Amino acid sequence: QVQLVESGGGLVQPGGSLRLSCAASGFTLDSYDIGWDRQAPGKEREAVSCISGSDSRTYYEDSVKGRFTISRDNAKNMVYLQMNDLKPEDTAVYYCVAGPIGPSTGWACPYEYDYWGQGTQVTVSS
């Protein structure tokens, strides 16, 4: 069965760091554009960061630029989101998503989702 499983969430103080992991099974990540979405309380679901399957092209939502880093390890079939300098507004459920590789002129995020995980909770609070 194809599956994405997120881990690494938790409770952290403002200014702290977390690394989220996404493990894929049943398919290979390098055949897909991969993204991290999040949904905060009372907010719409949004794309946080993405990495293309065809190259090293990446996307970061404006509020996380300079703080978050997305990476992939094809040998381990894993994707990561390193989150530094966390802020209360980063509190959300974070989802790993995968979709077909888009045009080379695109924004690196999946334009549709073939697979997604169940999410991992990130809470930033003092």
Side-chain angles (χ1 to χ4, degrees):
Q1 181 180 359
V2 296
Q3 192 173 38
L4 291 172
V5 179
E6 304 96 333
S7 62
L11 175 64
V12 65
Q13 294 182 342
S17 297
L18 288 172
R19 188 181 73 162
L20 305 185
S21 298
C22 175
S25 60
F27 70 102
T28 54
L29 286 174
D30 62 3
S31 299
Y32 295 85
D33 288 344
I34 307 297
W36 286 96
D37 291 356
R38 70 183 179 189
Q39 187 165 23
K43 304 293 184 180
E44 298 290 336
R45 183 162 168 161
E46 65 178 353
V48 178
S49 183
C50 305
I51 185 165
S52 67
S54 59
D55 52 32
S56 299
R57 205 164 73 255
T58 58
Y59 162 82
Y60 295 96
E61 194 271 330
D62 286 345
S63 69
V64 309
K65 288 180 179 177
R67 299 190 296 120
F68 291 9
T69 303
I70 192 169
S71 62
R72 65 197 301 160
D73 187 335
N74 290 337
K76 296 180 179 179
N77 215 24
M78 299 278 288
V79 64
Y80 307 97
L81 185 67
Q82 179 66 46
M83 306 186 297
N84 297 327
D85 192 24
L86 284 161
K87 304 177 184 298
E89 53 264 41
D90 295 318
T91 296
V93 178
Y94 285 71
Y95 301 90
C96 181
V97 300
I101 295 175
S104 60
T105 56
W107 67 328
C109 295
Y111 65 90
E112 65 181 29
Y113 298 163
D114 286 348
Y115 314 112
W116 59 92
Q118 296 303 303
T120 185
Q121 176 71 48
V122 172
T123 302
V124 185
S125 180
S126 59

